């Protein structure tokens, strides 16, 4: 993702909007389905959910979403994208080894808190990283939870891996 962003930032810096549009068009064509599904009112979260719903379909993973999230939450869009992108990427990767892979997502928000749970089938051992490294995905999730005075809980339980995040919503726009 960093490479995509670097390329797009370069196009933006050069004000080469045609190159940026062409790159985004080519990138979107590589996605399994160019249609964006509608899961919730928040554009950033909806885009991430839509992308992973398509990825799950390609991998034959059952993907269930119940999301009640308004257009504006007070949480910065990049933070929402990183939070849900990491949770869903980890869930999809982890449940691929399962006989009946399934991901269940529940997201709600009220005036003060955003609650998210991303659970996936899981019967193996917890791996701290997918590669040699620090495991920046879950560290990013924890960092975002801390930034918004919230909590993050990651634990295997009853044949599922359960990732839960609670964020305190800012009362003023960021």
């Amino acid at each position: 993702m960093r490479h995509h962003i670097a390329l797009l930032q370069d196009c933006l810096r050069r004000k080469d909007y045609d190159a940026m549009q062409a790159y985004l068009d080519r990138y979107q064509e590589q996605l399994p389905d160019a249609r964006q599904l509608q899961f919730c009112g928040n554009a950033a979260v909806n885009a991430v959910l839509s992308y992973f719903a398509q990825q799950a379909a390609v991998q034959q993973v059952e993907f269930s979403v119940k999301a009640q999230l308004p257009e504006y939450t007070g949480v910065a869009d990049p933070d929402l994208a990183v939070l849900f992108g990491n949770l869903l990427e980890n869930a999809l990767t982890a449940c691929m080894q399962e006989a009946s892979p399934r991901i269940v997502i529940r997201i709600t928000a009220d005036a003060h808190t955003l609650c998210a749970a991303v659970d996936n089938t899981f019967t193996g051992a917890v791996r701290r990283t997918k590669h040699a490294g620090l495991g920046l995905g879950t560290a990013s999730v924890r960092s975002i939870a801390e930034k918004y005075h919230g909590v993050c809980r990651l634990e295997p339980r009853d044949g599922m891996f359960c990732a839960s995040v609670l964020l305190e919503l800012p009362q003023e726009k960021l």
Side-chain angles (χ1 to χ4, degrees):
M1 190 56 117
R2 285 188 302 267
H3 305 293
H4 296 296
I5 291 170
L7 188 137
L8 292 171
Q9 283 179 327
D10 181 62
C11 290
L12 187 61
R13 182 184 50 73
R14 292 182 289 116
K15 297 182 178 167
D16 190 347
Y17 305 117
D18 290 337
M20 182 184 286
Q21 184 64 53
Y23 180 79
L24 288 171
D25 290 344
R26 283 191 311 273
Y27 183 75
Q28 189 172 27
E29 288 172 6
Q30 295 175 2
L31 297 176
D33 186 344
R35 291 178 300 128
Q36 185 163 349
L37 304 171
Q38 191 63 40
F39 292 105
C40 67
N42 183 279
V45 173
N46 195 74
V48 173
L49 290 171
S50 186
Y51 172 79
F52 280 99
Q54 293 170 13
Q55 294 299 308
V58 168
Q59 300 296 328
Q60 298 180 335
V61 173
E62 182 184 334
F63 194 83
S64 170
V65 178
K66 289 188 179 163
Q68 296 178 340
L69 203 57
E71 179 180 354
Y72 176 76
T73 64
V75 177
D77 285 347
D79 290 339
L80 289 171
V82 167
L83 176 75
F84 287 101
N86 280 301
L87 290 174
L88 291 167
E89 180 179 24
N90 289 347
L92 186 59
T93 300
C95 75
M96 290 306 303
Q97 307 304 315
E98 301 298 318
S100 298
R102 179 171 48 111
I103 297 173
V104 179
I105 301 149
R106 295 170 312 284
I107 307 167
T108 61
D110 61 22
H112 303 286
T113 56
L114 183 151
C115 302
V118 177
D119 303 337
N120 59 272
T121 50
F122 179 78
T123 55
V126 175
R127 288 186 355 198
R128 297 296 171 202
T129 62
K130 290 182 275 193
H131 50 78
L134 300 175
L136 296 177
T138 55
S140 295
V141 169
R142 289 183 191 283
S143 175
I144 291 168
E146 289 174 14
K147 177 179 179 179
Y148 292 93
H149 310 288
V151 293
C152 171
R153 189 171 177 173
L154 308 169
E155 63 182 345
R157 181 177 54 221
D158 300 326
M160 299 291 281
F161 188 86
C162 304
S164 303
V165 178
L166 178 68
L167 305 180
E168 182 180 310
L169 297 178
Q171 297 306 299
E172 296 185 25
K173 291 186 178 186
L174 295 177

